[in-house]
């Protein structure tokens, strides 16, 4: 049976007590911690680096940490985040001079490799790389901020990517990031997503994390 994975995006968490926030959402049923790295160049926002990831590991966070690089250069950060304890590292193809080499670098350092595609980014990038990827991260908002609205034409894009994955009979996970909530998650699931990145709908919820994540999971029919 198909298993859907909830990746809680800590961009929406309270950074004043990040370790506690993470253990709370994991206890409440989140499967993965999605770690958004923004450099104020590639996207107009600035977040956190490898030191923070390392601190979380030292604090005792054992969950899968999924690093989403939204930075103009990636290779140095791939090494730093892998060394700090990342499990998955995804980057946007336009930020690497040699995409194939950056994917190999992620794997050399023992992490799963993901390619992140913005709403308007072509799927042509998958033509030659699909065999090397563990994850395809489809952005359903323009990267940079939490709490944006899901872009509706992305449902079709998810379906197309799912077809490509099935055609290649690869064990690639399809991750969708941005604007997911209880109202649209079922349609995202039907379209073909395996991993749902959710920030504001978890951390800004008025209900407890337990109830919120239960509601999110129950919304997938
Ligand atoms: C956007 C980030 C997302 C974001 C998701 O650039 O990559 O991970 O935090 O947040 P929501 O779920 O609020 O759209
Ligand atoms: Zn993200």
């Amino acid at each position: 049976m198909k298993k859907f994975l909830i990746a809680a995006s800590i961009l929406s968490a309270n950074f004043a007590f990040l370790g506690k926030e993470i253990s709370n959402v994991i206890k409440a049923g989140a499967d993965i911690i999605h770690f958004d790295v923004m450099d104020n160049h590639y996207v107009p926002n600035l977040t956190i680096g490898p030191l923070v990831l390392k601190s979380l590991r030292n604090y005792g966070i054992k969950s899968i940490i999924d690093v989403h690089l939204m930075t103009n250069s990636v290779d140095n950060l791939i090494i730093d985040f892998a060394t700090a304890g990342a499990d998955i590292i995804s980057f946007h193809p336009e930020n690497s001079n040699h995409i194939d080499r950056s994917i190999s670098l992620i794997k050399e350092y023992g992490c799963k490799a993901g390619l992140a595609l913005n709403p308007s980014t072509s799927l042509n990038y998958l033509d030659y790389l699909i065999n090397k990827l563990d994850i395809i991260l489809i952005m359903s908002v323009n990267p940079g901020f939490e709490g944006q609205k899901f872009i509706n034409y992305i449902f079709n894009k998810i379906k197309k990517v799912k077809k490509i994955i099935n055609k290649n009979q690869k064990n690639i996970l399809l991750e969708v990031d941005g604007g997911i909530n209880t109202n649209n998650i079922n349609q995202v699931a039907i379209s073909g997503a395996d991993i749902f990145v959710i920030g504001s709908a978890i951390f800004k919820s008025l209900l407890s994390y337990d109830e919120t994540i239960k509601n999110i999971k129950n919304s997938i029919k």
Side-chain angles (χ1 to χ4, degrees), residues 37 50 53 67-69 71 73-92 95-115:
V37 181
L53 201 160
V67 171
H68 176 194
L69 292 179
T71 55
S73 66
V74 296
D75 288 354
N76 287 345
L77 287 173
I78 285 169
I79 295 171
D80 292 349
F81 274 106
T83 310
D87 299 289
I88 302 167
I89 302 180
S90 299
F91 66 93
H92 291 250
N95 291 330
S96 168
N97 289 333
H98 308 287
I99 304 166
D100 179 283
R101 182 180 284 155
S102 298
I103 293 170
S104 298
L105 188 61
I106 295 173
K107 297 186 153 204
E108 244 169 66
Y109 276 80
C111 297
K112 302 262 183 232
L115 200 63

Coordinates of all heavy atoms in Angstrom, one line a residue, residues 37 50 53 67-69 71 73-92 95-115:
V37 N 16.9 26.3 3.1 CA 18.1 27.1 3.2 C 18.0 28.2 2.1 O 18.0 27.9 0.9 CB 19.3 26.2 3.0 CG1 20.6 27.1 3.1 CG2 19.4 25.1 3.9
P50 N 24.4 25.2 7.9 CA 24.8 23.9 8.5 C 25.0 23.9 10.0 O 24.7 22.9 10.6 CB 26.1 23.6 7.8 CG 26.2 24.6 6.7 CD 25.3 25.7 6.9
L53 N 21.8 22.9 11.6 CA 21.5 21.5 11.5 C 22.4 20.7 12.5 O 21.9 19.8 13.1 CB 21.8 21.1 10.0 CG 21.1 19.8 9.6 CD1 21.0 19.7 8.1 CD2 21.7 18.5 10.1
V67 N 17.2 18.7 3.4 CA 17.7 20.0 3.1 C 17.3 20.5 1.7 O 17.6 19.8 0.7 CB 19.2 20.0 3.3 CG1 19.8 21.4 2.9 CG2 19.6 19.8 4.8
H68 N 16.7 21.6 1.7 CA 16.2 22.2 0.4 C 17.1 23.5 0.2 O 16.8 24.5 0.8 CB 14.7 22.5 0.5 CG 14.2 23.2 -0.7 ND1 12.9 23.8 -0.7 CD2 14.7 23.4 -2.0 CE1 12.7 24.4 -1.9 NE2 13.8 24.1 -2.7
L69 N 18.1 23.4 -0.7 CA 19.0 24.5 -0.9 C 18.4 25.5 -1.9 O 18.1 25.1 -3.1 CB 20.3 24.0 -1.5 CG 21.2 23.1 -0.6 CD1 22.5 22.7 -1.4 CD2 21.6 23.9 0.6
T71 N 20.0 28.5 -2.9 CA 21.2 29.3 -2.8 C 21.8 29.3 -4.2 O 21.7 28.4 -4.9 CB 22.2 28.6 -1.8 OG1 22.4 27.3 -2.2 CG2 21.6 28.6 -0.4
S73 N 24.9 29.1 -5.1 CA 25.9 28.1 -5.3 C 25.6 26.9 -4.4 O 25.0 27.2 -3.3 CB 27.3 28.6 -5.2 OG 27.6 28.9 -3.8
V74 N 25.9 25.7 -4.8 CA 25.5 24.6 -4.0 C 26.6 23.6 -3.6 O 26.5 23.0 -2.5 CB 24.4 23.8 -4.8 CG1 23.1 24.6 -5.0 CG2 24.8 23.2 -6.1
D75 N 27.7 23.5 -4.3 CA 28.6 22.4 -4.0 C 29.2 22.5 -2.6 O 29.3 21.5 -1.9 CB 29.7 22.3 -5.1 CG 29.1 21.7 -6.4 OD1 27.9 21.4 -6.5 OD2 29.8 21.7 -7.5
N76 N 29.7 23.7 -2.3 CA 30.3 23.8 -0.9 C 29.2 23.5 0.2 O 29.5 22.8 1.2 CB 30.8 25.2 -0.6 CG 32.1 25.4 -1.4 OD1 32.7 24.5 -1.9 ND2 32.5 26.7 -1.6
L77 N 28.0 23.9 -0.1 CA 27.0 23.7 1.0 C 26.5 22.3 1.0 O 26.2 21.8 2.1 CB 25.8 24.6 0.7 CG 26.0 26.1 1.0 CD1 24.8 27.0 0.5 CD2 26.2 26.3 2.5
I78 N 26.6 21.6 -0.1 CA 26.3 20.1 -0.1 C 27.2 19.4 0.9 O 26.8 18.6 1.7 CB 26.4 19.6 -1.5 CG1 25.2 20.0 -2.4 CG2 26.5 18.0 -1.5 CD1 25.3 19.7 -3.9
I79 N 28.5 19.7 0.7 CA 29.5 19.1 1.6 C 29.2 19.5 3.1 O 29.2 18.6 4.0 CB 30.9 19.5 1.2 CG1 31.2 18.9 -0.2 CG2 32.0 19.0 2.2 CD1 32.5 19.4 -0.8
D80 N 29.0 20.8 3.3 CA 28.8 21.2 4.7 C 27.5 20.6 5.3 O 27.5 20.2 6.5 CB 28.7 22.8 4.7 CG 30.0 23.4 4.4 OD1 31.0 22.7 4.3 OD2 30.0 24.6 4.2
F81 N 26.4 20.6 4.6 CA 25.2 20.0 5.1 C 25.3 18.5 5.3 O 24.8 18.0 6.3 CB 24.0 20.4 4.3 CG 23.4 21.8 4.6 CD1 23.6 22.8 3.8 CD2 22.7 21.9 5.8 CE1 23.1 24.1 4.1 CE2 22.2 23.2 6.1 CZ 22.4 24.3 5.3
A82 N 25.9 17.8 4.4 CA 26.1 16.4 4.5 C 26.9 16.1 5.8 O 26.5 15.2 6.6 CB 26.7 15.8 3.3
T83 N 28.0 16.8 5.9 CA 28.8 16.6 7.1 C 28.1 17.0 8.4 O 28.3 16.3 9.4 CB 30.1 17.5 7.0 OG1 30.6 17.3 5.7 CG2 31.1 17.1 8.0
A84 N 27.2 17.9 8.3 CA 26.4 18.3 9.5 C 25.3 17.3 9.9 O 24.8 17.4 11.0 CB 25.8 19.7 9.3
G85 N 25.0 16.4 9.0 CA 24.0 15.4 9.3 C 22.7 15.4 8.5 O 21.7 14.8 8.9
A86 N 22.8 15.9 7.3 CA 21.6 15.9 6.4 C 21.4 14.4 5.9 O 22.4 13.7 5.8 CB 21.8 16.8 5.2
D87 N 20.1 14.1 5.6 CA 19.8 12.8 5.0 C 19.5 12.9 3.5 O 19.9 12.1 2.7 CB 18.6 12.1 5.7 CG 18.9 11.9 7.2 OD1 19.7 11.0 7.5 OD2 18.3 12.6 8.0
I88 N 18.8 14.0 3.2 CA 18.4 14.3 1.8 C 18.9 15.7 1.5 O 18.8 16.6 2.4 CB 16.9 14.3 1.7 CG1 16.3 12.9 2.1 CG2 16.5 14.6 0.2 CD1 14.8 12.9 2.3
I89 N 19.5 15.9 0.3 CA 19.8 17.3 -0.1 C 19.2 17.5 -1.5 O 19.5 16.7 -2.4 CB 21.3 17.5 -0.1 CG1 21.9 17.3 1.3 CG2 21.6 19.0 -0.6 CD1 23.4 17.5 1.4
S90 N 18.4 18.5 -1.7 CA 17.9 18.9 -3.0 C 18.4 20.3 -3.3 O 18.5 21.2 -2.5 CB 16.4 18.9 -2.9 OG 15.8 17.7 -2.6
F91 N 18.6 20.5 -4.6 CA 19.0 21.8 -5.1 C 18.3 22.1 -6.4 O 17.8 21.2 -7.1 CB 20.6 21.9 -5.3 CG 21.1 21.0 -6.4 CD1 21.3 21.5 -7.7 CD2 21.4 19.6 -6.1 CE1 21.7 20.6 -8.7 CE2 21.9 18.8 -7.1 CZ 22.1 19.3 -8.4
H92 N 18.3 23.4 -6.8 CA 17.7 23.8 -8.0 C 18.7 23.8 -9.2 O 19.8 24.3 -9.0 CB 17.1 25.2 -7.9 CG 15.9 25.3 -7.0 ND1 14.7 25.5 -7.4 CD2 15.9 25.1 -5.6 CE1 13.8 25.5 -6.3 NE2 14.5 25.3 -5.3
N95 N 21.2 26.5 -10.2 CA 22.2 27.0 -9.2 C 23.5 26.1 -9.3 O 24.4 26.3 -8.4 CB 21.7 26.9 -7.8 CG 20.6 28.0 -7.6 OD1 20.7 29.1 -8.3 ND2 19.6 27.8 -6.8
S96 N 23.6 25.2 -10.2 CA 24.8 24.4 -10.3 C 25.4 24.5 -11.7 O 24.7 24.5 -12.7 CB 24.4 22.9 -10.0 OG 25.5 22.1 -10.4
N97 N 26.7 24.7 -11.7 CA 27.4 24.7 -13.0 C 27.4 23.4 -13.7 O 27.3 23.3 -14.9 CB 28.8 25.2 -12.8 CG 28.9 26.6 -12.4 OD1 28.0 27.4 -12.8 ND2 30.0 27.0 -11.7
H98 N 27.4 22.3 -12.9 CA 27.4 21.0 -13.5 C 26.5 20.1 -12.6 O 26.9 19.6 -11.6 CB 28.9 20.4 -13.4 CG 29.9 21.4 -14.0 ND1 29.9 21.6 -15.4 CD2 30.7 22.2 -13.5 CE1 30.8 22.5 -15.6 NE2 31.3 22.9 -14.5
I99 N 25.3 20.0 -13.1 CA 24.2 19.4 -12.3 C 24.5 18.0 -12.0 O 24.4 17.5 -10.8 CB 22.9 19.5 -13.1 CG1 22.6 21.0 -13.4 CG2 21.7 19.0 -12.2 CD1 21.5 21.2 -14.4
D100 N 25.0 17.2 -13.0 CA 25.3 15.8 -12.8 C 26.4 15.7 -11.7 O 26.3 14.8 -10.8 CB 25.8 15.2 -14.1 CG 26.2 13.8 -14.0 OD1 27.3 13.5 -13.4 OD2 25.4 12.9 -14.4
R101 N 27.3 16.5 -11.7 CA 28.4 16.5 -10.7 C 27.9 16.8 -9.3 O 28.3 16.1 -8.3 CB 29.5 17.5 -11.1 CG 30.7 17.5 -10.1 CD 31.8 18.4 -10.6 NE 32.5 18.0 -11.7 CZ 33.2 18.8 -12.5 NH1 33.1 20.1 -12.4 NH2 33.9 18.3 -13.5
S102 N 27.0 17.8 -9.2 CA 26.4 18.1 -7.9 C 25.6 16.9 -7.3 O 25.7 16.6 -6.1 CB 25.6 19.4 -7.9 OG 26.3 20.5 -8.3
I103 N 24.9 16.2 -8.2 CA 24.1 15.1 -7.7 C 25.1 14.0 -7.2 O 24.9 13.4 -6.1 CB 23.2 14.5 -8.8 CG1 22.1 15.6 -9.2 CG2 22.6 13.2 -8.4 CD1 21.3 15.2 -10.4
S104 N 26.2 13.8 -8.0 CA 27.1 12.8 -7.6 C 27.8 13.1 -6.2 O 28.0 12.3 -5.4 CB 28.3 12.6 -8.6 OG 27.7 12.2 -9.8
L105 N 28.0 14.4 -6.0 CA 28.6 14.9 -4.8 C 27.7 14.6 -3.6 O 28.2 14.1 -2.5 CB 28.8 16.4 -4.9 CG 29.6 17.1 -3.8 CD1 31.0 16.5 -3.7 CD2 29.7 18.6 -4.1
I106 N 26.4 14.8 -3.8 CA 25.5 14.5 -2.7 C 25.5 13.0 -2.3 O 25.6 12.7 -1.1 CB 24.0 14.9 -3.1 CG1 23.9 16.4 -3.3 CG2 23.0 14.4 -2.1 CD1 22.5 16.8 -3.9
K107 N 25.6 12.2 -3.3 CA 25.6 10.7 -3.1 C 27.0 10.3 -2.5 O 27.0 9.4 -1.6 CB 25.3 10.0 -4.4 CG 24.0 10.3 -4.9 CD 23.6 9.5 -6.0 CE 22.1 9.4 -6.1 NZ 21.6 8.2 -6.8
E108 N 28.0 10.9 -3.0 CA 29.4 10.6 -2.4 C 29.4 10.8 -0.9 O 30.1 10.0 -0.2 CB 30.4 11.5 -3.0 CG 31.5 11.0 -3.9 CD 32.2 12.1 -4.5 OE1 32.8 12.9 -3.8 OE2 32.0 12.2 -5.8
Y109 N 28.7 11.8 -0.5 CA 28.6 12.1 1.0 C 27.5 11.3 1.7 O 27.2 11.6 2.8 CB 28.5 13.6 1.2 CG 29.9 14.3 1.1 CD1 30.5 14.6 -0.1 CD2 30.6 14.5 2.3 CE1 31.7 15.1 -0.2 CE2 31.8 15.1 2.2 CZ 32.4 15.4 1.0 OH 33.7 15.9 0.9
G110 N 26.9 10.3 1.0 CA 26.0 9.4 1.7 C 24.6 9.9 1.8 O 23.8 9.4 2.6
C111 N 24.2 10.9 1.1 CA 22.8 11.5 1.2 C 22.0 11.1 0.0 O 22.6 10.7 -1.1 CB 22.8 13.0 1.3 SG 23.7 13.6 2.8
K112 N 20.7 11.2 0.1 CA 19.8 11.0 -1.0 C 19.8 12.3 -1.8 O 19.8 13.4 -1.2 CB 18.4 10.7 -0.6 CG 18.3 9.4 0.3 CD 17.9 8.2 -0.5 CE 17.7 7.0 0.3 NZ 18.5 5.9 -0.3
A113 N 19.7 12.2 -3.1 CA 19.8 13.4 -3.9 C 18.5 13.8 -4.6 O 17.8 12.9 -5.1 CB 20.8 13.2 -5.1
G114 N 18.1 15.1 -4.5 CA 16.9 15.6 -5.1 C 17.1 16.7 -6.0 O 18.0 17.6 -5.8
L115 N 16.3 16.8 -7.0 CA 16.4 18.0 -7.9 C 15.1 18.8 -7.7 O 14.0 18.2 -7.8 CB 16.5 17.5 -9.4 CG 17.1 18.6 -10.4 CD1 18.5 19.0 -10.0 CD2 17.0 18.0 -11.8

